[in-house]
Amino acid sequence: MKTVLRIFGIIIILISLLTCSMSIYRAQLDKDKLAEEQTELAAVKDNIDKLKKEAENMTGESKKQIDEQIAGFEQELENIPSETAYLIVQVLLSTLLILSLVFAVFLFRANLKLSSQLFYVAVILTIVAFLVSPDIKRGEYGGMESRTLALLSGIPVAIGGLFAILVAKRTTSK
């Protein structure tokens, strides 16, 4: 039974290594894209400032419509994540990647106490990575959202931890 648990554990660990690596890469791509678009964002902010100055001279219904448009643009600008958010996500996902490697070791060198503690750490890191990940809706043909990728990266790590715990329980029971 331990051999079967180890085989499934290795498969899950390989999946977690793949998903964590892909998510880290994706966060880096998003961070690079954000850095490239900073000049465009600066131009948009300048246009918003010009619209505000024009709206000061207006009255009536047209002023109300422009003020609503300005508020909508400012709201969209506030929703753009910073590069720091992507860096934090990358650090959390890298920690999950390292945890999956540790769980791979624990599949063959059983340590029940440490694997159960690290399992809880993996679950907490997955939740934190989910909450910290930018919530940007992808386009109709775009990729997955960052939050979905954080979950898809953390769940296999936690399952790999469960397999390490089960192997440790089988080892200590005999």
Side-chain angles (χ1 to χ4, degrees):
M1 185 67 171
K2 283 193 307 186
T3 306
V4 173
L5 289 174
R6 285 180 177 152
I7 290 171
F8 283 119
I10 289 171
I11 292 170
I12 293 296
I13 295 295
L14 290 175
I15 291 170
S16 69
L17 290 173
L18 178 69
T19 56
C20 286
S21 300
M22 288 180 5
S23 297
I24 292 168
Y25 179 70
R26 167 68 179 282
Q28 183 63 41
L29 288 178
D30 288 345
K31 188 167 70 168
D32 292 343
K33 184 177 178 184
L34 183 66
E36 291 173 0
E37 293 176 350
Q38 288 299 330
T39 56
E40 294 174 18
L41 291 175
V44 168
K45 289 177 185 177
D46 289 341
N47 289 336
I48 289 174
D49 291 337
K50 289 177 185 177
L51 278 175
K52 283 182 183 179
K53 289 178 184 176
E54 290 177 15
E56 289 174 0
N57 299 333
M58 297 180 162
T59 58
E61 188 66 32
S62 60
K63 178 179 173 61
K64 184 178 178 181
Q65 288 176 347
I66 289 181
D67 286 339
E68 288 174 359
Q69 288 178 347
I70 290 172
F73 291 142
E74 287 177 340
Q75 180 67 27
E76 287 181 26
L77 284 176
E78 289 175 8
N79 290 337
I80 295 174
S82 66
E83 289 184 28
T84 319
Y86 288 115
L87 180 66
I88 291 170
V89 168
Q90 284 179 316
V91 168
L92 291 172
L93 292 172
S94 299
T95 307
L96 283 171
L97 184 110
I98 292 169
L99 274 177
S100 66
L101 291 173
V102 170
F103 287 139
V105 170
F106 286 157
L107 285 173
F108 297 98
R109 293 188 177 250
N111 188 343
L112 181 61
K113 184 178 178 182
L114 189 56
S115 15
S116 60
Q117 290 172 349
L118 289 178
F119 168 74
Y120 294 122
V121 170
V123 170
I124 291 169
L125 283 176
T126 301
I127 293 169
V128 171
F130 174 77
L131 295 175
V132 172
S133 293
D135 189 19
I136 298 176
K137 302 292 182 209
R138 298 293 168 188
E140 185 176 334
Y141 300 105
M144 281 192 239
E145 299 174 16
S146 297
R147 287 189 165 191
T148 306
L149 282 175
L151 274 181
L152 289 177
S153 299
I155 291 173
V157 175
I159 293 172
L162 284 176
F163 276 107
I165 290 170
L166 290 173
V167 168
K169 284 186 179 182
R170 294 282 181 188
T171 304
T172 56
S173 68
K174 290 186 178 183

